Amino acid sequence: QQDTYLVNSKGLTVKTTTILETHPYTLLHFFRGHWWPYCISELVKLEQKKDNFDDLGVQIIPISISNLSGATKAKEKSKSSFNFYCDLDSSFSTHLGLLHKSGHPFNGTDIAQIGKVLVNSKGLILWTHFTSSSRVRLTTNSLIEKIKKSINN
């Protein structure tokens, strides 16, 4: 198994398996970046329901292909308590098949496909959801229900 690493919003490089081991479940939340209002709006809604996720043993890990400044801006704009991570070289997104080559609508750089991956502490994928529309997202309540079903299966 290939080791992959992400950089958190404090600038620390962290092995992805280390991130997953801290909670029973992790929702890897791939988003475009701080510059896309729909992503920020969704992060705000996730933050508002954080207690629901905590009750399920789910940590939310927002991930974007950006630099440290981009992750920090997204965290600040969304007023979030989540630990944001950067996939600086896009290796994690590529490893999962989520690289959106030249997908940035303003400058044509690579970004992550918008989506969510629910994994357990051992890295087993329990559920995924991706969208081809950058404006259409699951409601937070619908997301919580889908996570509950995935955990209870």
Side-chain angles (χ1 to χ4, degrees):
Q1 180 176 353
Q2 175 186 345
D3 287 338
T4 53
Y5 297 85
L6 296 169
V7 176
N8 68 18
S9 53
K10 296 176 184 170
L12 301 172
T13 300
V14 183
K15 195 173 181 180
T16 52
T17 53
T18 302
I19 297 167
L20 301 181
E21 292 169 351
T22 63
H23 286 73
Y25 305 100
T26 299
L27 182 67
L28 303 171
H29 175 78
F30 291 88
F31 69 103
R32 288 182 145 200
H34 69 88
W35 42 267
W36 196 248
Y38 295 96
C39 290
I40 297 303
S41 175
E42 185 175 31
L43 288 163
V44 168
K45 291 172 184 172
L46 292 173
E47 180 68 34
Q48 290 168 347
K49 297 284 187 170
K50 185 177 183 305
D51 288 344
N52 297 81
F53 293 105
D54 289 344
D55 291 345
L56 294 170
V58 176
Q59 70 172 330
I60 296 177
I61 300 294
I63 302 169
S64 66
I65 296 176
S66 68
N67 57 26
L68 186 57
S69 171
T72 303
K73 286 178 185 175
K75 185 172 177 63
E76 290 170 356
K77 282 184 176 182
S78 62
K79 296 178 174 61
S80 179
S81 64
F82 303 131
N83 292 316
F84 280 63
Y85 287 84
C86 310
D87 187 7
L88 294 176
D89 63 359
S90 69
S91 61
F92 188 57
S93 300
T94 300
H95 178 71
L96 294 175
L98 301 177
L99 182 65
H100 185 180
K101 218 57 183 135
S102 306
H104 194 300
F106 304 122
N107 64 19
T109 57
D110 297 343
I111 57 175
Q113 181 179 347
I114 298 168
K116 295 163 185 52
V117 179
L118 179 68
V119 296
N120 66 15
S121 61
K122 298 192 185 325
L124 178 68
I125 295 174
L126 305 175
W127 174 81
T128 61
H129 176 79
F130 302 99
T131 180
S132 57
S133 170
S134 63
R135 292 177 170 89
V136 178
R137 311 294 170 99
L138 283 176
T139 67
T140 310
N141 288 335
S142 175
L143 173 62
I144 291 168
E145 288 307 310
K146 290 182 183 301
I147 288 173
K148 282 180 184 176
K149 287 179 186 173
S150 298
I151 288 172
N152 293 325
N153 279 340

